[in-house]
Amino acid sequence: MLETISEHKSFDGIQGFYRHQSAVVGLPMRFAVFQPPQARQQRVPVLFYLAGLTCTEETFAIKAGAQRVAAREGLMLVTCDTSPRQTGIPGESDDWEVGSGAGFYVNATQSPWARYFRMYDYVLGELRETVLAHFPAVAARCGIFGHSMGGHGALVLALRNPQVYRSVSAFAPICSPSRCPWGRKAFTRYLGEDQAAWASYDAVELLTAGGARVFPEILVDQGLADKFLPQGQLLPELLEQACAAVGQPLRLRRQEGYGHDYYFIATFIEDHLRFHAQALGAQAAA
């Protein structure tokens, strides 16, 4: 059953916030949907956005300024929470890098996280199926993008499921979590010490193992004033190398002066939405 938390008219479309009982996660989950004005007459392409550490389903909807462009391009936008909440796991909210707000879009296999932290299956299956069942989206015209931890999630979900997602882009993604402090910490907690289990959630490893082009193009924006770049958390150069090695076209744009924030995302959101609209065959407003 879908519960409507609130709905708001925006650029002649509807920005809504919703809650449902998730069978995959085993707890209530919240998500947001922007329906462009075109959705009143026909089903429209749908673009899923995965947010970063500490964010919720509201962050992108409030801060990115995406509704104006999505309304013009005829794109439905879906955002979800970044983890299960109020699981009862001791210390789940004590560390912003693991636990609440930090699901890393994996299916955890290690106790105590494995019971609830199944964000990969939730996004790929249940969230998508719920949206398709309750909103006028076209199942065969789905794209995915994200920021930071969510950029990692978007790349992984797309590379593993190109039959589901027809387009993928990212803002400042964690490109190779197996090799950065954030990822190694989270993967150890969620997936265990065996690093072989990490590879299926690492975009660089997936590209290298696949050995071939998956998408016509991947779009990535990276701010050069991003404080996490010199810390080795994002590693865009490894994504660039992996794409070059297997012939996967990558448009990696290094943006001078921009950081790891929603000012950066809002600046380039139009480019990303137009990129997806073209790939998904969206119909712009007249």
Side-chain angles (χ1 to χ4, degrees):
M1 181 176 178
L2 187 66
E3 175 190 354
T4 299
I5 298 171
S6 66
E7 290 184 329
H8 315 271
K9 189 167 185 179
S10 177
F11 295 97
D12 203 29
I14 298 293
Q15 176 65 63
F17 298 91
Y18 308 95
R19 177 166 41 227
H20 67 141
Q21 181 65 37
S22 168
V24 170
V25 172
L27 292 167
M29 290 292 291
R30 298 190 304 182
F31 66 95
V33 178
F34 174 72
Q35 300 179 69
Q38 293 88 334
R40 290 197 294 269
Q41 282 80 40
Q42 62 191 24
R43 290 186 173 271
V44 296
V46 56
L47 182 57
F48 291 83
Y49 175 85
L50 304 182
L53 289 162
T54 75
C55 293
T56 72
E57 76 288 346
E58 294 184 314
T59 311
F60 178 82
I62 293 171
K63 292 185 175 183
Q67 291 91 342
R68 176 184 61 84
V69 182
R72 187 189 68 207
E73 297 293 337
L75 283 173
M76 183 179 294
L77 299 176
V78 178
T79 65
C80 64
D81 205 351
T82 50
S83 77
R85 304 280 177 171
Q86 297 180 325
T87 64
I89 295 173
E92 66 177 327
S93 300
D94 291 351
D95 186 342
W96 68 277
E97 297 175 333
V98 177
S100 294
F104 267 84
Y105 305 101
V106 303
N107 290 336
T109 58
Q110 303 300 300
S111 179
W113 309 103
R115 181 175 177 182
Y116 301 112
F117 279 65
R118 303 187 57 80
M119 291 299 293
Y120 179 90
D121 279 355
Y122 174 72
V123 173
L124 176 62
E126 191 173 34
L127 174 65
R128 183 171 56 90
E129 291 161 3
T130 299
V131 169
L132 292 173
H134 292 277
F135 299 91
V138 181
R141 293 159 72 187
C142 294
I144 192 166
F145 70 145
H147 170 232
S148 193
M149 176 184 72
H152 137 72
L155 289 170
V156 167
L157 278 152
L159 290 171
R160 288 177 60 174
N161 303 280
Q163 77 283 2
V164 172
Y165 303 106
R166 287 176 46 179
S167 58
V168 59
S169 72
F171 296 94
I174 301 173
C175 295
S176 186
S178 298
R179 298 174 177 84
C180 77
W182 275 339
R184 293 178 67 85
K185 179 179 180 178
F187 281 12
T188 299
R189 304 274 185 91
Y190 295 145
L191 304 174
E193 298 284 352
D194 182 5
Q195 296 188 22
W198 301 1
S200 61
Y201 296 108
D202 187 306
V204 169
E205 294 297 327
L206 289 168
L207 283 161
T208 302
R213 185 181 79 167
V214 184
F215 290 93
E217 185 177 44
I218 297 172
L219 172 63
V220 171
D221 274 304
Q222 174 61 62
L224 291 183
D226 189 322
K227 65 183 179 180
F228 299 115
L229 198 57
Q231 295 178 18
Q233 298 283 23
L234 306 175
L235 304 173
E237 67 278 7
L238 297 187
L239 180 68
E240 191 171 42
Q241 293 165 15
C243 284
V246 302
Q248 169 60 59
L250 171 69
R251 197 188 336 165
L252 173 55
R253 308 192 306 182
R254 293 174 168 90
Q255 306 290 4
E256 188 70 41
Y258 286 92
H260 196 79
D261 48 44
Y262 272 82
Y263 299 107
F264 161 61
I265 293 172
T267 300
F268 299 106
I269 189 64
E270 182 167 1
D271 293 349
H272 283 250
L273 294 188
R274 292 179 65 186
F275 170 81
H276 288 280
Q278 182 175 9
L280 300 175
Q283 294 189 5

